Amino acid sequence: MEISIPVITSVDVEAPILDVIVKRRSKRAYASTPVSAEKIQSLFEAARWAPSSINEQPWVYIYATNDQPELWNKILDVLNESNKVWAKDAPLLVVSLARKSFSRNGNPNGSAHYDVGAANAFLSLQATQLGLNVHQMGGYDRHRAIENLNVPNTYEPVVIMAIGYPGNADVLPEHLKQRELAPRVRQTQQSFVMNKVF
Ligand SMILES: Cc1cc2nc3c(=O)[nH]c(=O)nc-3n(C[C@H](O)[C@H](O)[C@H](O)COP(=O)(O)O)c2cc1C
């Protein structure tokens, strides 16, 4: 017998949470305002303090601002066309990568991607606090990323992030504009939280 939990969605916040969690969203319209070196440092500092399996901290970031066109274009180049169309306006692109093995013994780190995700979440919330928008993207060509960025075999690209100050949604193609302005939807807690066995 298959047991399924009914999935119900809602746009409401069901219980009190941090303001930055409410405010964070993956926007696609960016202002041309550059992101200062201090703010960039704060983003990576937030990632630095994320938890990780046996404190391995398996994350590595490659970033480029659009005033470094050579490196910035090497990152933009790997994105799927559907992401490139809006990510080209983000003044900051960041590639997150995972070190595949534990540095202490060389064993495969099954938590590496999980830990990079946690670090990216910390980075995203810090960005929200600074008035910045982070949009994570899994839609890119991994092989091209490895090639363009000369990634050694010991690392794997995870997600690429487009970062900048929110801009005017009017510049987006109509279908993306509508998504930008639509309310954020989530499954209700009732759909994924259990206080009983399956
Ligand atoms: C691992 C991952 C991959 C994603 N890949 C893409 C992507 O390639 N393109 C895109 O537009 N959004 C992408 N997103 C953003 C999600 O679509 C977005 O987080 C989700 O719709 C919820 O919206 P919100 O972040 O505004 O709350 C990705 C997010 C994550 C965490």
Side-chain angles (χ1 to χ4, degrees):
M1 189 178 65
E2 194 178 310
I3 298 174
S4 63
I5 310 173
V7 175
I8 305 159
T9 58
S10 162
V11 296
D12 299 325
V13 173
E14 298 182 303
I17 50 174
L18 296 175
D19 259 8
V20 283
I21 299 177
V22 178
K23 284 190 189 134
R24 186 211 61 80
R25 72 175 290 168
S26 305
K27 293 177 184 162
R28 293 183 174 84
Y30 290 93
S32 56
T33 319
V35 184
S36 70
E38 291 74 23
K39 297 259 164 75
I40 294 173
Q41 206 178 0
S42 288
L43 299 181
F44 295 128
E45 188 63 16
R48 180 174 170 235
W49 290 100
S52 62
S53 175
I54 55 166
N55 203 16
E56 168 70 18
Q57 304 160 61
W59 43 78
V60 166
Y61 293 99
I62 300 176
Y63 81 92
T65 51
N66 57 1
D67 59 1
Q68 302 174 283
E70 195 182 333
L71 182 55
W72 191 85
N73 276 312
K74 278 185 179 171
I75 301 175
L76 186 74
D77 174 60
V78 309
L79 297 177
N80 291 356
E81 287 306 319
S82 58
N83 287 326
K84 231 182 242 179
V85 69
W86 53 267
K88 66 172 176 28
D89 294 325
L92 172 63
L93 293 174
V94 177
V95 184
S96 61
L97 303 109
R99 187 166 49 249
K100 294 193 272 185
S101 303
F102 284 106
S103 41
R104 64 188 65 191
N105 57 19
N107 289 341
N109 181 356
S111 298
H113 281 242
Y114 180 92
D115 294 344
V116 174
N120 289 345
F122 274 41
L123 182 156
S124 299
L125 293 178
Q126 181 66 38
T128 305
Q129 180 71 17
L130 296 171
L132 289 162
N133 176 66
V134 174
H135 197 134
Q136 303 186 46
M137 293 167 285
Y140 67 94
D141 183 330
R142 264 94 187 139
H143 297 296
R144 210 173 169 86
I146 289 166
E147 198 178 284
N148 276 12
L149 303 169
N150 205 19
V151 176
N153 188 30
T154 39
Y155 291 86
E156 253 168 17
V158 184
V159 293
I160 300 182
M161 294 177 274
I163 305 180
Y165 294 95
N168 188 342
D170 288 338
V171 302
L172 296 171
E174 189 54 33
H175 70 290
L176 294 182
K177 181 180 166 183
Q178 279 178 21
R179 281 166 76 176
E180 187 91 344
L181 300 175
R184 293 163 79 217
V185 180
R186 287 298 190 269
Q187 297 177 16
T188 58
Q189 285 201 31
Q190 199 196 340
S191 310
F192 67 92
V193 181
M194 292 192 288
N195 190 215
K196 60 181 177 66
V197 299
F198 253 106

